[in-house]
Coordinates of all heavy atoms in Angstrom, one line a residue:
F96 N -121.2 -98.3 185.0 CA -122.3 -98.1 185.9 C -121.9 -98.5 187.3 O -122.0 -97.8 188.3 CB -123.6 -98.7 185.5 CG -124.7 -98.6 186.4 CD1 -125.4 -97.4 186.5 CD2 -125.1 -99.7 187.2 CE1 -126.5 -97.2 187.4 CE2 -126.2 -99.5 188.2 CZ -126.8 -98.3 188.3
N99 N -118.9 -96.8 189.0 CA -119.3 -95.4 189.5 C -120.2 -95.5 190.8 O -120.0 -94.7 191.7 CB -119.9 -94.6 188.4 CG -118.8 -94.0 187.5 OD1 -118.3 -92.9 187.7 ND2 -118.5 -94.7 186.4
I100 N -121.0 -96.4 190.8 CA -121.9 -96.6 192.0 C -121.0 -97.0 193.2 O -121.2 -96.5 194.3 CB -123.0 -97.7 191.7 CG1 -124.0 -97.2 190.7 CG2 -123.6 -98.1 193.1 CD1 -124.9 -96.1 191.3
A103 N -119.1 -93.9 194.3 CA -120.0 -93.0 195.0 C -120.3 -93.4 196.4 O -120.3 -92.6 197.3 CB -121.3 -92.9 194.2
A104 N -120.5 -94.8 196.6 CA -120.7 -95.2 197.9 C -119.5 -95.0 198.8 O -119.6 -94.7 200.0 CB -121.0 -96.8 197.9
V107 N -119.6 -91.4 200.0 CA -120.6 -91.2 201.1 C -120.0 -91.7 202.4 O -120.4 -91.1 203.4 CB -121.9 -91.9 200.7 CG1 -122.9 -91.8 201.9 CG2 -122.6 -91.2 199.5
I236 N -133.1 -102.2 208.1 CA -133.2 -101.7 206.8 C -134.7 -101.8 206.3 O -135.3 -102.8 206.5 CB -132.3 -102.6 205.9 CG1 -130.9 -102.3 206.2 CG2 -132.6 -102.2 204.4 CD1 -129.9 -103.2 205.4
S237 N -135.1 -100.8 205.7 CA -136.5 -100.7 205.2 C -136.6 -100.3 203.8 O -135.5 -99.9 203.2 CB -137.3 -99.7 206.0 OG -136.8 -98.4 205.8
Y238 N -137.7 -100.3 203.1 CA -137.9 -99.9 201.7 C -137.5 -98.4 201.6 O -136.8 -98.0 200.7 CB -139.3 -100.1 201.3 CG -139.6 -99.5 200.0 CD1 -139.1 -100.0 198.7 CD2 -140.2 -98.2 199.9 CE1 -139.3 -99.4 197.5 CE2 -140.4 -97.6 198.7 CZ -140.0 -98.2 197.5 OH -140.2 -97.5 196.3
R239 N -138.0 -97.6 202.6 CA -137.7 -96.2 202.5 C -136.2 -95.9 202.6 O -135.7 -95.1 201.8 CB -138.5 -95.5 203.7 CG -138.3 -94.0 203.7 CD -139.0 -93.4 204.8 NE -138.8 -91.9 204.9 CZ -137.7 -91.3 205.6 NH1 -136.9 -92.1 206.2 NH2 -137.6 -90.0 205.6
R240 N -135.5 -96.6 203.5 CA -134.1 -96.3 203.7 C -133.4 -96.9 202.4 O -132.4 -96.3 202.0 CB -133.6 -97.0 204.9 CG -132.2 -96.6 205.3 CD -131.8 -97.1 206.6 NE -132.5 -96.5 207.7 CZ -133.5 -97.0 208.5 NH1 -133.7 -98.4 208.3 NH2 -134.1 -96.4 209.4
S241 N -133.7 -98.1 201.9 CA -133.1 -98.7 200.8 C -133.2 -97.8 199.5 O -132.3 -97.6 198.8 CB -133.6 -100.1 200.5 OG -133.4 -100.9 201.7
S242 N -134.4 -97.3 199.3 CA -134.7 -96.5 198.1 C -133.9 -95.2 198.3 O -133.4 -94.7 197.3 CB -136.2 -96.2 197.9 OG -136.7 -95.6 199.1
Q243 N -133.9 -94.6 199.5 CA -133.2 -93.4 199.7 C -131.7 -93.6 199.4 O -131.0 -92.8 198.8 CB -133.3 -92.9 201.1 CG -132.7 -91.5 201.4 CD -132.9 -91.1 202.8 OE1 -133.4 -91.8 203.7 NE2 -132.4 -89.9 203.1
A244 N -131.1 -94.7 199.8 CA -129.7 -95.0 199.6 C -129.4 -95.2 198.1 O -128.4 -94.6 197.6 CB -129.3 -96.4 200.3
A245 N -130.3 -95.9 197.4 CA -130.1 -96.1 196.0 C -130.2 -94.7 195.2 O -129.4 -94.4 194.4 CB -131.2 -97.0 195.4
F246 N -131.2 -93.9 195.6 CA -131.4 -92.6 195.0 C -130.2 -91.7 195.2 O -129.7 -90.9 194.4 CB -132.6 -91.9 195.4 CG -133.9 -92.6 195.0 CD1 -135.1 -92.5 195.7 CD2 -133.9 -93.5 193.9 CE1 -136.2 -93.2 195.4 CE2 -135.1 -94.1 193.6 CZ -136.2 -94.0 194.2
L247 N -129.7 -91.7 196.5 CA -128.5 -90.8 196.8 C -127.3 -91.2 196.0 O -126.6 -90.4 195.5 CB -128.2 -90.9 198.3 CG -129.1 -90.2 199.3 CD1 -128.8 -90.5 200.7 CD2 -128.9 -88.7 199.0
L248 N -127.0 -92.5 195.7 CA -125.9 -93.0 194.9 C -126.1 -92.5 193.5 O -125.1 -92.1 192.9 CB -125.8 -94.5 195.1 CG -125.3 -95.0 196.4 CD1 -125.3 -96.6 196.4 CD2 -123.9 -94.5 196.7
L249 N -127.3 -92.7 193.0 CA -127.5 -92.2 191.6 C -127.3 -90.7 191.5 O -126.7 -90.2 190.5 CB -128.9 -92.6 191.2 CG -129.2 -94.1 191.0 CD1 -130.6 -94.3 190.7 CD2 -128.3 -94.7 189.9
L250 N -127.8 -90.0 192.5 CA -127.6 -88.5 192.5 C -126.1 -88.2 192.6 O -125.6 -87.3 191.9 CB -128.3 -87.9 193.8 CG -128.3 -86.4 194.0 CD1 -128.8 -85.7 192.7 CD2 -129.1 -86.0 195.2
A251 N -125.3 -88.9 193.4 CA -123.9 -88.7 193.5 C -123.2 -88.9 192.2 O -122.3 -88.1 191.8 CB -123.3 -89.7 194.6
C252 N -123.6 -89.9 191.5 CA -123.0 -90.2 190.1 C -123.4 -89.1 189.2 O -122.5 -88.6 188.3 CB -123.5 -91.5 189.6 SG -122.8 -92.9 190.4
G253 N -124.6 -88.5 189.3 CA -125.0 -87.4 188.5 C -124.2 -86.2 188.8 O -123.7 -85.5 187.8
L284 N -122.4 -85.1 199.1 CA -123.6 -85.5 199.6 C -123.5 -85.8 201.1 O -124.3 -85.5 202.0 CB -124.2 -86.7 198.9 CG -124.8 -86.3 197.5 CD1 -125.4 -87.6 196.9 CD2 -125.9 -85.2 197.5
A297 N -127.8 -96.0 209.9 CA -128.4 -97.1 209.1 C -128.4 -96.8 207.6 O -128.3 -97.7 206.8 CB -129.8 -97.3 209.7
L298 N -128.7 -95.6 207.3 CA -128.6 -95.2 205.8 C -127.3 -95.4 205.2 O -127.1 -96.0 204.1 CB -129.0 -93.7 205.7 CG -128.9 -93.1 204.3 CD1 -129.8 -93.8 203.3 CD2 -129.2 -91.6 204.3
Y299 N -126.2 -95.0 206.0 CA -124.9 -95.2 205.5 C -124.5 -96.7 205.4 O -123.8 -97.2 204.4 CB -123.9 -94.5 206.4 CG -124.0 -93.0 206.5 CD1 -123.7 -92.4 207.6 CD2 -124.5 -92.3 205.4 CE1 -123.9 -91.0 207.7 CE2 -124.7 -91.0 205.5 CZ -124.4 -90.3 206.6 OH -124.6 -88.9 206.7
E300 N -125.0 -97.5 206.3 CA -124.8 -99.0 206.2 C -125.5 -99.6 204.9 O -124.9 -100.4 204.2 CB -125.4 -99.7 207.4 CG -124.6 -99.4 208.7 CD -123.3 -100.1 208.7 OE1 -123.1 -101.0 207.9 OE2 -122.5 -99.8 209.7
T301 N -126.7 -99.1 204.6 CA -127.4 -99.5 203.4 C -126.6 -99.1 202.1 O -126.5 -99.9 201.2 CB -128.8 -98.9 203.4 OG1 -129.5 -99.2 204.7 CG2 -129.6 -99.5 202.3
I302 N -126.1 -97.9 202.1 CA -125.3 -97.4 201.0 C -124.1 -98.3 200.9 O -123.7 -98.7 199.8 CB -124.9 -96.0 201.2 CG1 -126.2 -95.0 201.0 CG2 -123.9 -95.6 200.2 CD1 -126.0 -93.6 201.3
G303 N -123.5 -98.6 202.0 CA -122.3 -99.5 202.0 C -122.6 -100.9 201.3 O -121.8 -101.4 200.6
I304 N -123.8 -101.5 201.7 CA -124.1 -102.7 201.1 C -124.3 -102.6 199.6 O -123.8 -103.5 198.9 CB -125.5 -103.2 201.8 CG1 -125.3 -103.5 203.3 CG2 -126.0 -104.4 201.0 CD1 -126.5 -103.8 204.0
I305 N -125.0 -101.6 199.2 CA -125.2 -101.4 197.7 C -123.8 -101.2 197.0 O -123.6 -101.8 195.9 CB -126.0 -100.2 197.4 CG1 -127.5 -100.4 198.0 CG2 -126.1 -99.9 195.9 CD1 -128.3 -99.2 197.8
G306 N -122.9 -100.5 197.7 CA -121.5 -100.4 197.1 C -120.8 -101.7 197.0 O -120.1 -101.9 196.0
S309 N -122.2 -103.7 194.1 CA -121.7 -103.1 192.8 C -120.3 -103.5 192.6 O -120.0 -103.9 191.5 CB -121.8 -101.6 192.9 OG -123.1 -101.2 193.1

Side-chain angles (χ1 to χ4, degrees):
F96 176 77
N99 280 272
I100 289 292
V107 175
I236 292 175
S237 64
Y238 169 78
R239 180 177 176 276
R240 190 173 293 115
S241 299
S242 59
Q243 186 181 5
F246 294 155
L247 283 172
L248 289 175
L249 293 173
L250 182 59
C252 290
L284 289 181
L298 173 63
Y299 298 148
E300 291 288 350
T301 308
I302 289 173
I304 291 171
I305 297 174
S309 299

